[in-house]
Amino acid sequence: MTLGILAAIHDEVDGLVAAMHHRDSRATVQTIGMREYHVGQLHGQPCVLVLARMGKVAASATTVTLIREFGVKEIVFTGLAGGIGPDTHVGDVVIADRTIQHDLDARPFFGRHEVPLLERAEFPADPALTRELETAAAGFLRLDLPTEVPRPVLERFGVASPSLHRGMIASGDQFIGSPDAVAELRERLPGLLAVEMEGAAVAQVCHEFGVPYAVMRTVSDRADDTAHVDFPAFLKDVASHYSSGILRRFLAARA
Ligand code: ADE
């Protein structure tokens, strides 16, 4: 059963792409709609890896291609998020139990956040995929992170003993970087743990095609006025290890 794995930014997927081509000499690359789809085996599992690019449109288009052109039967999105919940700190991992588009507002035709004609605002993530990701992330944080990322690097970002969370992730076509925006989102979407720019779009397409999905995010910033500063350095020095490490465990456990 082929798994599609998407990310929005190069560093989030480069490690996985390199691992696929290093270990599977028959892996291929197909370019469709300005995306490169890497097709092969990863840690013993048939996978298609792709850099989706940022934003909901990019994620939706890529998800449709994964399903229609490559026949993937499950989809996982991996990447970064801004922490919104009071206890989601930089270096934590958030796994979605549901996703919502925080910038979708088709009132007065439909309710706030409701996806037109789908009669829903929230899209539940697949429980089995989500559990598998949780197990992989817990193992990574406990056993791999201390050896894969040097302690001084983690300390530079204030990462001491990162936690794993499961809950609501909201997506929108904007980088959230102000305390006011965070306060407004917390009030509008109680229980929200993290924001990013793609997950709920993938979720909508997966719902429309009947494909199970899961979203796993590393918290790179607190979505406040320091968010723009933290983001690129965290991505390069820390988060790239999370994506590769967690998915390595996730795939190995399925073999
Ligand atoms: N991805 C990582 N941090 C983010 C933020 N603050 N807003 C939106 N997407 C993000």
Side-chain angles (χ1 to χ4, degrees):
M1 191 151 73
T2 304
L3 171 75
I5 301 178
L6 308 92
I9 304 178
H10 269 295
D11 297 76
E12 296 165 344
V13 82
D14 283 356
L16 296 167
V17 168
M20 176 185 271
H21 289 286
H22 181 67
R23 288 165 197 211
D24 179 2
S25 56
R26 287 178 303 176
T28 58
V29 187
Q30 285 185 55
T31 303
I32 301 174
M34 298 187 176
R35 310 280 190 278
E36 288 184 349
Y37 294 82
H38 300 264
V39 186
Q41 298 268 328
L42 188 58
H43 305 295
Q45 300 295 306
C47 290
V48 183
L49 302 173
V50 57
L51 174 68
R53 305 183 179 191
M54 284 167 87
K56 294 193 299 174
V57 174
S60 311
T62 311
T63 303
V64 172
T65 305
L66 278 173
I67 295 170
R68 297 289 300 173
E69 298 285 332
F70 295 96
V72 305
K73 298 291 184 241
E74 299 168 307
I75 288 192
V76 169
F77 199 106
T78 177
L80 303 182
I84 298 285
D87 297 321
T88 43
H89 302 291
V90 170
D92 288 0
V93 173
V94 179
I95 298 178
D97 67 354
R98 60 203 193 280
T99 53
I100 187 166
Q101 297 179 48
H102 66 74
D103 60 350
L104 179 56
D105 189 355
R107 292 176 297 175
F109 303 109
F110 299 94
R112 184 91 193 249
H113 306 124
E114 184 180 335
V115 178
L117 304 185
L118 291 185
E119 292 173 3
R120 64 179 65 214
E122 296 181 1
F123 292 83
D126 181 67
L129 270 182
T130 300
R131 257 194 313 277
E132 288 177 57
L133 275 178
E134 267 186 312
T135 305
F140 171 80
L141 290 177
R142 197 163 56 85
L143 301 170
D144 304 338
L145 185 63
T147 55
E148 287 192 20
V149 182
R151 191 197 292 249
V153 174
L154 293 175
E155 279 170 359
R156 185 149 50 88
F157 293 98
V159 179
S161 49
S163 312
L164 176 60
H165 311 264
R166 189 212 293 211
M168 190 202 297
I169 293 182
S171 314
D173 281 315
Q174 63 221 185
F175 189 87
I176 304 294
S178 88
D180 288 351
V182 171
E184 196 276 321
L185 279 167
R186 279 183 177 167
E187 194 176 316
R188 179 151 52 89
L189 297 170
L192 177 62
L193 292 185
V195 280
E196 36 84 314
M197 300 174 67
E198 297 83 18
V202 171
Q204 179 180 333
V205 173
C206 283
H207 172 82
E208 290 170 348
F209 284 92
V211 171
Y213 88 97
V215 176
M216 190 231 350
R217 296 282 182 169
T218 305
V219 176
S220 57
D221 59 87
R222 291 282 306 154
D224 55 16
D225 28 23
T226 64
H228 301 82
V229 180
D230 298 348
F231 186 85
F234 185 82
L235 175 60
K236 188 169 133 309
D237 296 341
V238 183
S240 49
H241 296 274
Y242 276 66
S243 280
S244 302
I246 295 172
L247 286 169
R248 182 181 61 225
R249 279 184 170 269
F250 169 85
L251 293 167
R254 303 187 125 203

